[in-house]
Amino acid sequence: MISKSQILALVPHKNLNTNVWDTDSLKPVIRTKLLKIAQDFYAYLDVDAPLLDITLTGSLANFNYTKASDFDLHLIFNYSDVDENVDLVEKFLSAKKSVWNDKHNIKIKGYEVELYAQNASEPHHSTGVYSIIKDEWIIKPKRVRGVNNLEAAKKKAKQMMREINTVLKSPNRMSKIERMKEKIRNMRQSGLERAGEYSAENLAFKLLRRTDYIKQLYDAYNADYDDYMSLDQ
């Protein structure tokens, strides 16, 4: 079920998060901490590529933050500077990112810090991007007075929930879970490309995440995989 509070959480605030921002500048103590975390992550990645920027994006760099928001910290460099096989670099960095984020539980002002290694050529659909290095906005967010897609987002999320429930009840469901995960990713990506963060598809994705439906998919897949790979003593 989708609660009224979960729907209302999609409505943007009038101001940026005052725990993070002094009007529209990042609080110095937070910027210093994020710089240090990013530098440690860069050292952990151990890549021979110049660091072009460190950016903060996502809901904490915008007006649509909630209690479940986190610091989306992106380290920007050219994957091709690491190796000419860009696909291999992406997989390698994704694996290292997952290990880092699983190993660490860093919180600033109660919000988790999530680290990403981003290719400089990768398009970004966020309407709020702040350079931690330069201490200035790259893309300054604009407050949206209202969201017209709430009902559409709710409808899409409910449809996905029904499909997820069907998949979770299915026998031999691992391949079906993979297809469902891919469908959700494609839905969100198409919405971001078409209409940005406030698209019905992206808002529906947020509802699926906040109602733990996405977590249920991943937990079920991992449990089934472990059972499949195990042998009785």
Side-chain angles (χ1 to χ4, degrees):
M1 292 295 293
I2 302 173
S3 68
K4 183 177 179 180
S5 62
Q6 288 166 336
I7 292 291
L8 292 176
L10 300 176
V11 178
H13 298 270
K14 294 181 179 179
N15 300 295
L16 295 173
N17 191 313
T18 55
N19 290 320
V20 178
W21 303 93
D22 286 328
T23 310
D24 60 355
S25 295
L26 195 62
K27 289 191 173 183
V29 65
I30 292 178
R31 175 176 176 264
T32 299
K33 186 66 70 173
L34 291 177
L35 273 173
K36 175 58 178 171
I37 295 168
Q39 289 164 354
D40 289 345
F41 181 63
Y42 182 60
Y44 159 79
L45 291 178
D46 192 24
V47 293
D48 188 18
L51 185 60
L52 304 178
D53 204 351
I54 302 166
T55 63
L56 175 65
T57 187
S59 57
L60 282 180
N62 217 314
F63 297 95
N64 57 337
Y65 58 89
T66 69
K67 293 180 180 179
S69 294
D70 49 33
F71 284 93
D72 290 332
L73 203 57
H74 291 233
L75 278 69
I76 314 296
F77 50 84
N78 286 307
Y79 284 5
S80 58
D81 288 339
V82 180
D83 190 272
E84 62 182 13
N85 190 335
V86 173
D87 289 338
L88 181 63
V89 173
E90 182 178 10
K91 292 176 181 178
F92 167 74
L93 293 174
S94 178
K96 296 209 75 171
K97 178 208 74 173
S98 295
V99 172
W100 172 278
N101 286 331
D102 287 343
K103 183 178 179 181
H104 296 283
N105 184 28
I106 303 170
K107 291 187 177 182
I108 296 177
K109 299 293 184 178
Y111 299 104
E112 292 185 4
V113 179
E114 288 283 331
L115 279 295
Y116 302 86
Q118 180 182 328
N119 195 353
S121 62
E122 178 185 331
H124 206 292
H125 304 287
S126 177
T127 55
V129 182
Y130 193 88
S131 171
I132 304 295
I133 290 180
K134 298 178 181 178
D135 197 19
E136 64 183 26
W137 288 103
I138 298 173
I139 303 174
K140 190 173 182 178
K142 296 180 180 179
R143 187 168 73 86
V144 178
R145 294 187 178 276
V147 178
N148 299 320
N149 296 320
L150 293 181
E151 282 303 317
K154 185 178 178 180
K155 183 177 180 180
K156 285 179 180 293
K158 284 186 173 181
Q159 175 60 34
M160 286 290 193
M161 288 174 179
R162 288 191 290 269
E163 293 183 30
I164 290 171
N165 286 333
T166 299
V167 167
L168 293 177
K169 293 175 183 177
S170 301
N172 304 317
R173 60 189 180 177
M174 288 180 66
S175 61
K176 296 178 182 178
I177 291 175
E178 281 290 354
R179 288 195 294 271
M180 192 70 224
K181 287 159 57 178
E182 182 67 19
K183 183 175 181 178
I184 293 171
R185 284 193 294 268
N186 290 340
M187 175 194 73
R188 186 189 192 194
Q189 187 63 28
S190 66
L192 288 171
E193 292 175 357
R194 177 182 57 81
E197 291 174 285
Y198 294 105
S199 65
E201 293 85 355
N202 189 49
L203 296 178
F205 170 82
K206 289 179 179 292
L207 288 172
L208 292 175
R209 186 171 59 188
R210 290 169 187 171
T211 52
D212 280 343
Y213 269 78
I214 291 177
K215 182 177 184 297
Q216 288 180 49
L217 276 177
Y218 279 83
D219 287 350
Y221 182 89
N222 291 336
D224 287 3
Y225 176 83
D226 290 348
D227 287 343
Y228 177 75
M229 298 302 293
S230 297
L231 288 174
D232 294 333
Q233 293 183 349

